Amino acid sequence: MQLAIVLFDRVTALDAVGPYEILSRVPGIETVFVGERTGPVRTDTGALALTADKTFAEVERPDIVLVPGGPGQTPQMDNPVLLDWLRTADTTSTWTTSVCTGSLLLAAAGLLKGRKATSHWLALNFLTGFEVEATGERVVFDGRYVTAAGVSSGIDMGLALAGRIAGDRAAQSIQLLTEYDPQPPYDAGAPHKAPAELVAEFRANTRHPQH
Amino acid sequence: MQLAIVLFDRVTALDAVGPYEILSRVPGIETVFVGERTGPVRTDTGALALTADKTFAEVERPDIVLVPGGPGQTPQMDNPVLLDWLRTADTTSTWTTSVCTGSLLLAAAGLLKGRKATSHWLALNFLTGFEVEATGERVVFDGRYVTAAGVSSGIDMGLALAGRIAGDRAAQSIQLLTEYDPQPPYDAGAPHKAPAELVAEFRANTRHPQH
């Protein structure tokens, strides 16, 4: 079973690495990072590069497609190479998935029309623009389409998907190995929990889907 | 304020990328990934490489040192280049930190002797061997030494440290941006919560610090 994780310039690293760390440990899964070109791909902060080992052309029939987000997804929404690859890969994939604004790329490729999906909380209204029923849920399954909310939510999605693919025990084993027993020191990880003025500030500064 | 994140062959990606995603967003922090050589560094699964942009020799006085773990830390415990760099960097750092078995590297460098620290749950006994008071806590502050438990715990450490460095509001802002409102679909992320037979299986298979 092949998992293809898409990389593009200015991707948000944790969008990709969170679910990678979970799903790559599912027995029988072979993981490949794929991009328009092979080699290092710079993430959104500029301080880190993740390596694409294969080009889109080299990964023809992945079983699982995972599309991360990040501020770099905006230009990709008009990239025919990426969108065509997503459409083709989706015709044979078992699971087509995204984290954060990666769902906007799936939507731009026409794959989420009429479906329920989620995205980063600041990007939900852009998803609606693609005739998607945007929910604020952290992980949304709609048939074989699985979307996760912002950045860190890809870990929760990875575990949920690992359970569907390999069973509860395999997923629990990976959760234990990665010691995923979260204890955030603050409770500000969602717009309905964070201080209202912080939420308002982010909303005021978001004119286009940034994350 | 410079944050130096150490990379080495067979590092666990999320150990580094979790806290990176949080701390690199603290206002005024410049993040650099550092290794024995510059260029792509393969992680433990073999499916991903993270890029080191600077060599140890090029990063002389980082304000924050962050050491991830992973199965690749075992050979590094005898690597004089890495251990010497850790000792030198620690003489001027404001914070010296680790995730997962990264604490074994700090311990091997002699930096945790007599201190309280944590590590991956399967590695706590190895920490004790270095005259460290090993706790099973998820994040441990002992003066300017901050250690986190296994893999995903680096996200919690990153947020706690962000709060100490930049204040609660800055940390909450990063938590909201990264939508860190964890909702694990299982509750097996710690040895006292996971099915007992899973825990026993991992313990039986661990003869040396693997993660």
Side-chain angles (χ1 to χ4, degrees):
Chain A
M1 195 168 210
Q2 190 185 45
L3 162 65
I5 303 178
V6 173
L7 293 179
F8 48 81
D9 190 46
R10 298 180 67 217
V11 67
T12 296
L14 187 57
D15 290 17
V17 173
Y20 146 83
E21 200 66 69
I22 304 296
L23 290 169
S24 67
R25 299 180 189 284
V26 171
I29 281 191
E30 174 226 342
T31 303
V32 59
F33 282 82
V34 60
E36 207 166 334
R37 281 167 295 277
T38 59
V41 177
R42 246 336 111 170
T43 66
D44 55 359
T45 67
L48 175 60
L50 309 177
T51 299
D53 285 329
K54 298 276 188 191
T55 64
F56 290 129
E58 292 173 308
V59 179
E60 291 188 317
R61 296 169 68 92
D63 300 284
I64 310 170
V65 175
L66 194 153
V67 187
Q73 58 71 31
T74 310
Q76 300 301 328
M77 288 169 77
D78 296 316
N79 177 351
V81 177
L82 173 66
L83 299 186
D84 284 350
W85 182 82
L86 288 177
R87 285 185 203 105
T88 306
D90 181 65
T91 60
T92 55
S93 70
T94 309
W95 300 99
T96 294
T97 76
S98 66
V99 178
C100 199
T101 50
S103 58
L104 296 183
L105 293 175
L106 295 182
L111 303 178
L112 297 180
K113 200 170 169 178
R115 298 190 180 279
K116 275 205 318 179
T118 191
S119 192
H120 191 284
W121 64 274
L122 280 166
L124 290 170
N125 56 329
F126 298 99
L127 206 49
T128 309
F130 287 100
E131 298 174 57
V132 179
E133 186 189 330
T135 86
E137 290 167 278
R138 192 155 174 88
V139 177
V140 174
F141 279 76
D142 184 343
R144 61 193 186 82
Y145 297 89
V146 194
T147 53
V151 191
S152 62
S153 62
I155 300 174
D156 292 328
M157 182 189 77
L159 274 175
L161 191 52
R164 296 283 190 107
I165 293 170
D168 292 345
R169 193 191 158 90
Q172 287 170 317
S173 172
I174 295 168
Q175 185 181 12
L176 179 57
L177 186 68
T178 56
E179 215 163 335
Y180 186 50
D181 177 32
Q183 295 169 26
Y186 302 96
D187 192 19
H192 64 282
K193 295 180 171 179
E197 74 277 10
L198 262 185
V199 176
E201 207 173 280
F202 274 117
R203 288 204 199 277
N205 292 330
T206 303
R207 285 164 210 280
H208 53 90
Q210 285 250 328
H211 293 279
Chain B
M1 193 168 213
Q2 190 186 44
L3 162 65
I5 303 178
V6 173
L7 293 180
F8 48 83
D9 190 46
R10 298 181 66 218
V11 67
T12 296
L14 187 57
D15 289 16
V17 173
Y20 146 83
E21 200 66 67
I22 304 295
L23 290 168
S24 66
R25 299 180 188 282
V26 170
I29 280 191
E30 174 226 341
T31 303
V32 59
F33 281 82
V34 59
E36 208 166 334
R37 282 166 294 277
T38 58
V41 178
R42 248 331 113 171
T43 66
D44 55 359
T45 66
L48 175 61
L50 309 177
T51 299
D53 284 330
K54 299 275 188 192
T55 64
F56 290 131
E58 292 173 308
V59 178
E60 291 187 318
R61 296 170 65 92
D63 301 284
I64 310 170
V65 175
L66 194 153
V67 186
Q73 58 72 31
T74 310
Q76 299 301 327
M77 287 170 78
D78 296 315
N79 178 351
V81 177
L82 174 66
L83 298 186
D84 285 350
W85 182 81
L86 287 177
R87 286 184 201 105
T88 305
D90 180 65
T91 61
T92 54
S93 70
T94 309
W95 300 98
T96 294
T97 76
S98 67
V99 177
C100 200
T101 50
S103 58
L104 297 183
L105 293 175
L106 295 182
L111 302 178
L112 296 180
K113 200 170 167 176
R115 297 190 180 280
K116 276 205 319 181
T118 192
S119 192
H120 191 284
W121 65 274
L122 280 167
L124 290 170
N125 55 330
F126 298 99
L127 206 49
T128 309
F130 287 101
E131 298 174 56
V132 180
E133 188 189 330
T135 87
E137 290 167 279
R138 191 155 173 88
V139 178
V140 174
F141 279 77
D142 184 343
R144 61 194 186 80
Y145 296 89
V146 195
T147 52
V151 192
S152 62
S153 62
I155 300 174
D156 293 328
M157 182 190 77
L159 274 175
L161 190 53
R164 297 279 190 108
I165 293 170
D168 292 345
R169 193 191 159 88
Q172 288 170 317
S173 172
I174 295 167
Q175 186 181 11
L176 180 57
L177 187 67
T178 56
E179 215 162 333
Y180 186 50
D181 178 31
Q183 295 168 28
Y186 301 96
D187 191 19
H192 64 283
K193 295 179 171 180
E197 73 278 9
L198 261 185
V199 175
E201 206 174 279
F202 274 117
R203 287 205 200 276
N205 292 329
T206 303
R207 284 162 212 279
H208 54 87
Q210 286 250 327
H211 290 280

